[in-house]
Amino acid sequence: MNTVTRPRILVVGAGFAGVESVRRLERKLAPDEADVALVTPFSYQLYLPLLPQVASGVLTPQSIAVSLRRSKKYRTRIIPGGVIGLDLQAKVAVIRTITDEVVNESYDYLVLAPGSVTRTFDIPGLTDHAFGMKTLAEAAYVRDHVISQLDLADASDDPAERAARLQFVVVGGGYAGTETAACLQRLTHAAVQRYPRLDPSLIKWHLIDIAPKLMPELGDKLGRSAQEILRRRGIEISLGVSVEKVSEDEVTFTDGRVVPTHTLIWTAGVAASPLIGTLGAETVRGRLVVTPEMTVPGHDGVFALGDAAAVPDLAKHEKGAICPPTAQHAMRQGKKVADNVIAALRGQPLQPYVHKDLGLVVDLGGKDAVSKPLGIELRGVLAQLVARGYHWSALRTNVAKVRVMTNWLLNAVAGDDFVRTGFQTRRPARLKDFEYTDSYLTQDQVRTEVEGDAAGSS
């Protein structure tokens, strides 16, 4: 078959959904059946659930960043950049490469898996002064920042500055926020023993959330167990509370409290990639409306899945139920979308996505965890074994599994280390500097770019 006439499949995003789609396409498509391209700024798949352990230094960054180029059988063309606009009628994606060059990529079939970004609100000072926990760079940066606060507090003779440096605020009582607060609190608790000038009682961690319960998906009993574990460690938990405003050296809560701090870690949920909002298509809570087969209504050859799509949850048998934005669903949706793309390409019927949630695991560091596999409530060491066993088995390559297991064993035997890697420089980097949420084009800008490119090439 002539290469020019092959159908072109473009996958947007290298998260769980995108990578699983590509892997399935490569396994099931004949080499001359279609060309596959993947758009991603980084040539690795990030295992997001373990980011808090990178931030606390239990795991090294490269252990949870699985290279997309390890396999010699990998034949997908990787385009290093991000899609900043789509013309669904002309079937063209506008891509900004990592060198800031804007290029157009035509396709016959589009798999939209751009993932999500940190959900923020119009809170004064939030994006200027808060840190996120959504990317590998953010996790590594937060670790450097937290350790630098201990260094600066130890060097300071000003009691007020010292107290402010040693207070840390995490916003978000979901899995990301709870695990982040738990893991980083353990890091500072262990680190303070190396700082004889610091009073351990000055180190204070605050975990706040506007919801009335911590991790409500776990149920009342396990949620309370998680709260008790964190409170025993000295973490102050405030529910029904949010942030009113943020400055460089203090955070004001909605209940009127003012906490002097230089560290606000914002993990209050996720929102679909801003790319979805530029399409002019129907959305549900910001996520793209799709059919149970994960096709986008009214747009031939366009599929969407993962955090960016409102995939109907047929396993729940509830009207209007959609799949939560979890890695568990994204991985399985990726395989089903690949099957449906191949079916569409071969003129075969598409199949709906159906998957029953297998449960939840929350690793609180050390021997502490709460887990709910298949509805069974677990606590303590057994829950920890289940949590780490689940994460370990979900890692895509044997190399990643060896690295993670080695890191866990080394940490258990040798304890934590407190070396800064150099991300913490004189120029601070905050939430707005990592996720590039202002990079996207409007539909008019996309149309102008596509038409201009077409005119230039004719």
Side-chain angles (χ1 to χ4, degrees), residues 92-144:
V92 175
V94 181
I95 300 168
R96 177 173 284 125
T97 69
I98 58 175
T99 56
D100 269 345
E101 180 186 2
V102 175
V103 298
N104 294 342
E105 184 75 18
S106 298
Y107 60 85
D108 297 295
Y109 296 93
L110 177 67
V111 177
L112 268 176
S116 57
V117 296
T118 301
R119 180 181 61 182
T120 57
F121 301 97
D122 190 19
I123 297 172
L126 177 63
T127 57
D128 292 322
H129 301 293
F131 302 101
M133 188 58 67
K134 195 76 174 66
T135 68
L136 196 60
E138 282 177 310
Y141 189 93
V142 164
R143 171 176 164 78
D144 270 16

Side-chain angles (χ1 to χ4, degrees), residues 62-63 65 70 398-408:
Q62 64 268 32
S63 63
R70 290 198 65 87
N398 289 330
V399 171
K401 290 178 179 180
V402 170
R403 282 178 174 162
V404 166
M405 183 61 72
T406 302
N407 284 177
W408 280 338

Side-chain angles (χ1 to χ4, degrees), residues 43-345:
S43 58
Y44 60 76
Q45 179 192 9
L46 178 64
Y47 192 80
L48 273 169
L50 291 177
L51 269 185
Q53 294 191 37
V54 171
S56 64
V58 173
L59 299 177
T60 58
Q62 64 268 32
S63 63
I64 67 166
V66 182
S67 173
L68 299 179
R69 300 186 186 274
R70 290 198 65 87
S71 173
K72 294 179 181 178
K73 298 178 181 179
Y74 200 89
R75 56 189 171 88
T76 296
R77 178 168 61 100
I78 297 178
I79 304 173
V83 173
I84 57 174
L86 287 163
D87 189 330
L88 298 180
Q89 309 308 131
K91 293 196 170 185
V92 175
V94 181
I95 300 168
R96 177 173 284 125
T97 69
I98 58 175
T99 56
D100 269 345
E101 180 186 2
V102 175
V103 298
N104 294 342
E105 184 75 18
S106 298
Y107 60 85
D108 297 295
Y109 296 93
L110 177 67
V111 177
L112 268 176
S116 57
V117 296
T118 301
R119 180 181 61 182
T120 57
F121 301 97
D122 190 19
I123 297 172
L126 177 63
T127 57
D128 292 322
H129 301 293
F131 302 101
M133 188 58 67
K134 195 76 174 66
T135 68
L136 196 60
E138 282 177 310
Y141 189 93
V142 164
R143 171 176 164 78
D144 270 16
H145 171 80
V146 168
I147 295 174
S148 75
Q149 298 312 296
L150 299 178
D151 289 341
L152 291 167
D154 184 66
S156 176
D157 292 321
D158 181 350
E161 180 190 359
R162 180 175 286 193
R165 297 281 183 194
L166 297 179
Q167 291 214 72
F168 306 89
V169 178
V170 179
V171 181
Y175 306 112
T178 302
E179 290 187 340
T180 296
C183 290
L184 286 172
Q185 186 274 338
R186 279 181 56 85
L187 174 69
T188 55
H189 178 74
V192 76
Q193 299 174 30
R194 311 289 182 92
Y195 296 83
R197 297 182 70 241
L198 294 182
D199 180 356
S201 66
L202 290 178
I203 298 180
K204 296 179 181 177
W205 281 86
H206 303 263
L207 176 61
I208 74 168
D209 194 278
I210 193 65
K213 296 179 181 178
L214 200 66
M215 297 181 292
E217 298 90 342
L218 282 174
D220 290 342
K221 290 183 179 179
L222 284 184
R224 283 197 300 270
S225 294
Q227 285 191 54
E228 289 169 5
I229 291 169
L230 299 183
R231 282 183 169 140
R232 280 202 306 269
R233 292 190 191 171
I235 298 175
E236 183 176 322
I237 300 172
S238 301
L239 300 174
V241 176
S242 188
V243 172
E244 184 175 296
K245 62 181 179 180
V246 186
S247 69
E248 185 178 354
D249 55 7
E250 67 180 28
V251 175
T252 302
F253 295 163
T254 52
D255 62 3
R257 284 180 294 160
V258 178
V259 176
T261 180
H262 294 267
T263 308
L264 172 64
I265 303 172
W266 183 269
T267 65
V270 297
S273 165
L275 177 64
I276 301 303
T278 70
L279 303 181
E282 185 181 358
T283 59
V284 173
R285 284 175 275 177
R287 300 168 72 184
L288 195 61
V289 169
V290 296
T291 67
E293 295 75 23
M294 291 173 285
T295 61
V296 178
H299 298 286
D300 181 51
V302 180
F303 298 79
L305 66 160
D307 292 5
V311 179
D313 193 347
L314 301 184
K316 284 191 174 177
H317 306 290
E318 297 174 10
K319 186 177 180 181
I322 60 176
C323 297
T326 64
Q328 183 180 147
H329 279 288
M331 292 169 73
R332 288 166 175 81
Q333 288 169 9
K335 294 176 181 177
K336 180 60 70 175
V337 155
D339 290 343
N340 282 342
V341 169
I342 295 170
L345 188 136

